[in-house]
């Protein structure tokens, strides 16, 4: 049966939660009560599930005993953890790719141990010192994958395929997050990368919010949706208000609730259903009380965007779709 508004799994991104405490202790080394505190805050915000964004905790770096403790903590709080998003650990990063590839393999193993459905990887790299000084880091350009470099492209395909095969053996979907100036930086390149990898369990995370926020000319979001959704198996969702003055070469974007930004998610989701998308959703937001905004985004999706019943026409996806059930009841007032 297809998902409907009441039971479509929606996770909260954990972007708002730092990876270290005031004393510099990493979350991985914290007492389990610190994990429980975050999970409780997410649950109290109205979420049944959380995306384990590794800017907070790094499941792939937890020992077997600590990983088991982490899983028990989530179960005790009553929060589902169906996804790990591993960011800024590119498998083609010069000088670090071997360590990043090994970390990615450990993350897949951790995902399987936690019972996750999806691991989301990307090719974006660490923010530059200049980007870290900005209010919004995306206003400055960061790392760029080499354009037209067939050898580097081939390395990306080979290494991501290796991860995809590992994920398949572990019963996990692998999703590739779109991000500017990488080989996942345009709709056409992203689709080509998935096609070249050629594994059923490897698809796209069409995080086009990462692209519409850029202070430069961008692809039309409708075209990106049409091209990427047939190959998508997970979805980071956020939105930005955007203004353009092409005559003056001026482009401005700022974070906005999903219903208020440039991307019309009502239109985008109709496309998603028409091409068979049944992936987990993740609501994100940068700045301010991000958790509350992501909670409002979840409410917007359940009340306004997602189909109210499962009796709708569903197209055929080009990649495998998972069937993760929410760990707790969705919003009862849907």
């Amino acid at each position: 049966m297809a998902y409907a508004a009441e039971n479509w799994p929606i996770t909260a991104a954990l972007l708002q939660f730092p990876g270290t405490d005031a004393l510099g202790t990493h979350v991985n080394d914290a007492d389990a009560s610190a994990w429980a505190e975050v999970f409780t805050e997410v649950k109290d915000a109205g979420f049944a599930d959380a995306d384990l964004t590794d800017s907070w905790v790094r499941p792939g770096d937890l020992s077997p005993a600590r990983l088991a403790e982490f899983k028990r903590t989530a179960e005790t709080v009553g929060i589902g953890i169906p996804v790990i998003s591993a960011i800024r650990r590119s498998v083609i990063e010069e000088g670090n790719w071997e360590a990043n590839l090994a970390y990615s393999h450990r993350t897949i193993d951790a995902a399987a141990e936690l019972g996750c459905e999806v691991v989301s990887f990307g090719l974006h790299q660490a923010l530059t010192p200049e980007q870290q000084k900005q209010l919004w880091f995306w206003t400055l350009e960061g790392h760029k994958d080499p354009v037209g470099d067939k050898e580097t492209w081939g390395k990306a395909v080979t290494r991501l395929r290796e991860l995809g095969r590992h994920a398949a053996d572990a019963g996990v979907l692998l999703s590739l997050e779109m991000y500017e100036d990488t080989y996942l930086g345009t709709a056409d390149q992203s689709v080509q990368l998935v096609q070249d990898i050629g594994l059923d369990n490897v698809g796209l995370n069409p995080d086009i919010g990462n692209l519409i926020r850029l202070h430069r000319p961008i692809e039309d979001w409708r075209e990106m949706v049409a091209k990427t959704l047939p190959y998508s198996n997970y979805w980071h969702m956020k939105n930005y208000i955007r203004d353009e003055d092409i005559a003056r070469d001026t482009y401005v974007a700022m974070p906005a609730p999903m219903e208020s930004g440039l991307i019309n998610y009502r239109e985008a989701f109709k496309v998603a259903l028409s091409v068979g998308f049944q992936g987990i959703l993740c609501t994100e937001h940068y700045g301010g009380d991000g958790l509350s905004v992501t909670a409002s985004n979840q409410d917007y999706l359940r009340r306004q965007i997602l189909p109210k019943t499962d009796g709708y026409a569903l197209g055929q996806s080009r990649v495998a779709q998972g069937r993760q059930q929410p760990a707790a009841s969705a919003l009862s007032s849907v």
Side-chain angles (χ1 to χ4, degrees):
M1 294 178 65
Y3 284 134
E6 186 177 11
N7 69 346
W8 205 301
I10 301 177
T11 66
L14 303 184
L15 298 169
Q16 288 74 37
F17 298 99
T20 57
D21 63 18
L23 298 177
T25 301
H26 194 273
V27 172
N28 276 38
D29 300 318
D31 187 83
S33 61
W35 302 335
E37 183 177 347
V38 169
F39 287 146
T40 300
E41 195 169 343
V42 171
K43 184 178 180 181
D44 288 347
F47 285 95
D49 298 291
D51 175 309
L52 298 177
T53 318
D54 75 348
S55 56
W56 177 56
V57 73
R58 297 194 299 263
D61 285 342
L62 290 171
S63 68
R66 288 288 275 169
L67 189 65
E69 184 180 20
F70 184 80
K71 183 178 182 180
R72 287 195 302 271
T73 302
E75 291 171 347
T76 298
V77 173
I79 195 82
I81 44 175
V83 185
I84 300 174
S85 286
I87 60 176
R88 305 195 183 280
R89 300 294 288 267
S90 171
V91 295
I92 55 172
E93 181 179 354
E94 188 173 352
N96 290 317
W97 72 267
E98 289 178 301
N100 290 347
L101 183 62
Y103 171 78
S104 299
H105 278 295
R106 295 196 306 273
T107 300
I108 291 170
D109 287 335
E113 189 67 27
L114 293 172
C116 296
E117 177 181 299
V118 184
V119 176
S120 177
F121 292 121
L123 292 174
H124 40 311
Q125 300 185 20
L127 297 175
T128 67
E130 292 75 19
Q131 286 179 306
Q132 293 176 26
K133 295 175 184 176
Q134 303 302 307
L135 175 61
W136 307 122
F137 62 83
W138 56 83
T139 60
L140 290 182
E141 293 185 355
H143 165 80
K144 297 183 178 181
D145 286 341
V147 178
D149 187 329
K150 293 183 179 179
E151 182 180 359
T152 304
W153 176 274
K155 291 176 180 177
V157 170
T158 299
R159 293 166 190 170
L160 291 171
R161 185 186 292 137
E162 176 184 324
L163 293 175
R165 286 173 174 158
H166 179 186
D169 289 341
V172 175
L173 298 180
L174 193 151
S175 196
L176 303 177
E177 180 182 355
M178 296 179 68
Y179 195 92
E180 78 267 13
D181 297 326
T182 71
Y183 292 149
L184 292 157
T186 69
D188 287 336
Q189 272 193 319
S190 298
V191 169
Q192 188 64 57
L193 189 61
V194 168
Q195 290 176 336
D196 286 0
I197 293 168
L199 297 175
D200 186 56
N201 70 310
V202 178
L204 291 175
N205 172 355
D207 192 346
I208 60 177
N210 287 341
L211 304 176
I212 69 155
R213 69 190 179 190
L214 301 177
H215 287 202
R216 51 173 135 148
I218 60 171
E219 293 182 80
D220 187 289
W221 69 264
R222 295 173 184 84
E223 293 181 6
M224 288 192 281
V225 164
K227 291 176 179 179
T228 62
L229 262 297
Y231 294 88
S232 296
N233 57 7
Y234 180 51
W235 198 347
H236 283 175
M237 310 178 90
K238 55 180 177 282
N239 219 339
Y240 294 82
I241 293 174
R242 181 176 176 88
D243 187 37
E244 299 183 358
D245 188 337
I246 298 175
R248 294 179 173 82
D249 194 30
T250 300
Y251 307 88
V252 177
M254 290 174 283
M258 280 177 59
E259 63 186 309
S260 305
L262 177 69
I263 303 167
N264 179 348
Y265 278 99
R266 184 183 299 271
E267 181 178 336
F269 217 85
K270 290 177 181 178
V271 175
L273 296 179
S274 75
V275 294
F277 179 79
Q278 289 282 283
I280 297 172
L281 308 176
C282 175
T283 57
E284 298 184 308
H285 186 79
Y286 282 96
D289 185 355
L291 182 58
S292 290
V293 178
T294 57
S296 296
N297 287 342
Q298 176 184 217
D299 186 63
Y300 162 69
L301 285 169
R302 295 205 190 277
R303 294 180 183 277
Q304 303 294 337
I305 304 304
L306 300 176
K308 293 299 185 288
T309 68
D310 59 15
Y312 53 88
L314 184 66
Q316 181 63 50
S317 177
R318 303 289 183 90
V319 294
Q321 302 291 314
R323 296 302 302 168
Q324 181 82 31
Q325 294 298 325
S329 297
L331 298 181
S332 60
S333 57
V334 171

